[in-house]
Amino acid sequence: VSTQSTGTQLTQVMLRATILVSPALARRFCARAAAPVNVAIVAHVDHGKTTLVDCMLKHCNEDHGDRAMDSMNQERERGITIMSKVTSMAANNVRFNVVDTPGHADFGGEVERVMGMVDGVVLLVDATEGPMPQTKFVVSKALSAGLNLVAVLNKVDRETSDCTRVENELFDLLVDLGATDEQLDFPFLYASAKQGWCSLSADERTETMGPLFDTIAQHIKPADYSEAAKHPFQMLASMMEYDTFLGRILTGKISSGAARVNDQVHALDMDGNVVDKGRITKIQAPRGLSREVLEIGSVGDIVMVAGLSKATVSHTISHQELTTGLPAPQIDPPTISMMFSVNDSPIGGREGSRLTSANIRERVQKEIENNVSFSIGQNPDGRSESTLVMARGSMQLGFLIEEMRREGFELSVGPPQVLLKRDEKGNKMEPVEEVFCEMSENYSGVVMDALAIRKGEIVEISPAVGGRTKIVARVPSRTMMGYRAEFQTSTHGSGVMYCTFHDYEPYRGETSNVRRGVIVSTDKGEATTYALGAIEPRGELFIPAQVPVYEGMIIGEHAKQNDIVVNPTKTKQLTNMRASGTDETIRLTPPRRITLEDAMGYIQEDECIEVTPTRISLRKQHLDPTSRKKSARGR
C-alpha cells in the first residue's frame, strides 16, 4: 500500500485482504470501521421481542438459542423479559447494538432509562392484536425522546392476522401521541419471528431477516460524533451489574471522547456533585451473547466500564476535568408501595439465613441502585424495623420479593397500597389504570359488572377476532388489586387482561368489600386431617394436612363475609371402645395453592404475607385475637 493512500483507501485495501483470510473477521472489521447503530426493540408483552432478537443473532451468525436474551431464572420461568439487556451484531458492513426491553407495564422504567442511549426503536406489533396498552406507553417514550421508528408487524403467518387494520391503528396512535412529520414517515415490515423471516410486503415471504437490517440502516441513522470525539470522555450509565472479580460494571453509550483503560474518571450526579472517583480497570463491549475486551471505547458505542465502586444508574462517568453531568431520562414516579418487615411469626427464623431489618433494608437499597423505578419511602408509623418500598406495580414488587426469598431472606410483607397525592386545590388524587380485557362475548357482562363495582369507567367496547369482545376501561389501581385471579375464573381461563398506568385522577370514593372473610387458626401445632375435615365445609382451605400452623395464621377463605377462628390442630380422641362399624376415611379436597402474586392481591389492611425460602403463607398482622379487636376499633 502506498504511503500516499488516503484513510478510506487504506481501509478498503485492508478489508479486501481480510475477506481473503476470514469472512467472519471481515464482518467484524467492517462493523468497527463504521459508526454503530444503536436501536431498542420495544413492544407489548408477548408480541415476540426476544424471539426476534434470537432471529437477528442467527442471521448474523452469532451464538443464539431459544430466548437467549432472557438470562434470569425468573424471566425463563415467567416467560417475560424483566431487565433490559444489550447485545451487538454485524450485518451489511454495519454494527448494530440492540437493546431488548421488557414488555410489561410494571417494568416500564427499564424502557425509559435506555431511551437515552439508542438512535431509534424497532416497534414490534402483533399483526392480530394490534397496538395494546404497553404499545402506547413505549411509543410515547420514544416520541418524547425524538427517536424515529421502524414498525414490524409480527406473527403475520397466522390466519387471524389483519395487517391493514393494524397499520391504520398504529398510524392513528402515533398521530394521537403528537408525532412529528418526520416520525410519521416510518416504514412497515412484516415478519414471523417464530419462523425466522422478515419481508417488505405482507404478501411476500423471505427466508432471512435481511430486510430488517437493511431498513434499520436506511431509516435509523447514528448521530454525527465528529465534533463530540474531540471532547473529553463522558458517558451516562444506563445499566448496572455486579461481577465477583471486577466489582460494579456500568453500561452506557459514550457521548463524547473515548474511554481508555487506566484513565482517571469520576462519577457525577445530575446536579454536578462528585459521588465517586476511580480508574477504569476494564472496558468491554457486547458481541452477540458474549463480550469483547477493549483497550479503547469509541464515541457513540455502547460499552461496559469497570473500576468505580459507588457510581450507579443515571450517574455520568466522565474525565475528571468535566464538572457537569449529562441529563438522565425522566422516570415516571412510583404508584404503589408495600411494607417490608422482619418475620416475627412463631415459626419464623427456621429456614432463612438473612432475617434482620438491616439485611432487608440493605438488599432493597442494593436493588434501588440498579433499578431506578424503586425507591424507599417515609415509614408512616415510624417503625425502624420496617422498610416502605415504592415501585411501579405489584408485579415489580413481586419480582423483588421472589428474588429475596431465593437468596435466603425471611420477611413479612404488608398489603400493597396505592400512593395518593393532592392537586393544586388540595383535592385527593389517585392513580388510575387503563385496563384492556378480551374475552368470549358470553362473559363480557360478568366482566363489565366487576369493573363497575371497582369504580371503573368503560372507554371502549368493540368486537374482536373469533367472536370475542374487547373492553377498555379506566379503573382505580387500588380496586384492581386481586382482580386478575377473579377475571380468569369468571372467563373460564379464556380471557386476556392487561393493565397499564394511565394518570392521576380525582379520588372515586370507597368501594364495597369484594372479598369474603378468612379462616384463622387459634392454636400452634400441626394441622390434622381430622380437624381440617370438620373445617372444610365452612369454606375453602389454603393448606393441606401435616403442615405447621400457629395462632393468627390464615388457613382458608370463609364462605361468608366475616372472619372465623378455628383449631386446625385438633385430634380425634382415642378410647378403648371399639366402634360398631369401621371409621369413615376422611378425604380432603386439594387446597387452593396461593402464589406470591395471588397473595399480594388477596390480603387486606389487617393482614400480611409471611415469605420464607420454602413457603408463602398468609397471617393476621396481630396474631392475638384480642389485639385484633382493639386494632379494628382503632381503625
Side-chain angles (χ1 to χ4, degrees), residues 477-488:
S477 300
R478 58 186 170 88
T479 63
M480 284 299 296
M481 295 177 185
Y483 177 60
R484 187 174 296 275
E486 180 183 337
F487 173 80
Q488 292 295 334

Side-chain angles (χ1 to χ4, degrees), residues 422-441:
R422 302 278 179 176
D423 61 6
E424 297 81 2
K425 299 181 180 179
N427 299 321
K428 186 189 294 186
M429 307 288 287
E430 67 175 346
V432 173
E433 297 182 357
E434 186 170 87
V435 182
F436 172 90
C437 304
E438 185 178 308
M439 75 299 294
S440 173
E441 58 183 0

Side-chain angles (χ1 to χ4, degrees), residues 610-629:
E610 182 184 0
V611 180
T612 73
T614 61
R615 61 186 175 85
I616 294 172
S617 57
L618 310 182
R619 48 161 284 193
K620 291 290 185 178
Q621 291 188 0
H622 297 280
L623 301 180
D624 180 63
T626 305
S627 300
R628 288 201 295 271
K629 293 178 181 179

Side-chain angles (χ1 to χ4, degrees), residues 315-347:
H315 285 164
T316 301
I317 315 302
S318 66
H319 195 275
Q320 292 189 359
E321 66 182 72
L322 298 178
T323 58
T324 305
L326 294 170
Q330 189 68 28
I331 305 297
D332 289 344
T335 60
I336 192 173
S337 66
M338 294 184 74
M339 191 70 72
F340 288 23
S341 307
V342 175
N343 181 19
D344 58 355
S345 77
I347 59 175

Side-chain angles (χ1 to χ4, degrees), residues 94-207:
V94 179
R95 180 153 53 83
F96 297 87
N97 293 327
V98 179
V99 183
D100 185 22
T101 62
H104 199 282
D106 284 13
F107 307 103
E110 295 290 314
V111 179
E112 293 170 313
R113 70 179 184 177
V114 302
M115 288 299 172
M117 68 176 188
V118 296
D119 306 310
V121 299
V122 175
L123 176 62
L124 205 62
V125 182
D126 191 298
T128 300
E129 295 181 350
M132 300 288 279
Q134 184 67 0
T135 308
K136 180 179 179 181
F137 172 80
V138 296
V139 169
S140 65
K141 296 301 178 183
L143 296 179
S144 61
L147 303 177
N148 291 330
L149 307 176
V150 171
V152 179
L153 303 190
N154 193 25
K155 307 179 184 180
V156 296
D157 55 309
R158 291 184 175 181
E159 296 181 357
T160 56
S161 63
D162 188 350
C163 296
T164 303
R165 173 183 59 83
V166 174
E167 289 175 7
N168 294 332
E169 291 179 354
L170 185 57
F171 188 84
D172 292 342
L173 175 62
L174 265 69
V175 173
D176 294 339
L177 294 175
T180 64
D181 293 340
E182 181 182 0
Q183 290 172 327
L184 288 174
D185 186 20
F186 63 93
F188 277 102
L189 294 174
Y190 309 87
S192 172
K194 184 177 181 180
Q195 298 180 359
W197 59 268
C198 180
S199 68
L200 301 174
S201 172
D203 302 324
E204 177 188 357
R205 172 173 175 171
T206 64
E207 299 299 329

Side-chain angles (χ1 to χ4, degrees), residues 598-619:
D598 293 338
M600 292 171 63
Y602 185 83
I603 59 175
Q604 295 188 340
E605 184 179 358
D606 63 335
E607 299 164 356
C608 60
I609 310 170
E610 182 184 0
V611 180
T612 73
T614 61
R615 61 186 175 85
I616 294 172
S617 57
L618 310 182
R619 48 161 284 193

Side-chain angles (χ1 to χ4, degrees), residues 437 439 444 448 458-464 469-473:
C437 304
M439 75 299 294
S444 58
M448 290 181 63
I458 305 298
V459 176
E460 177 187 348
I461 302 177
S462 59
T469 301
K470 181 175 71 175
I471 299 176
V472 180

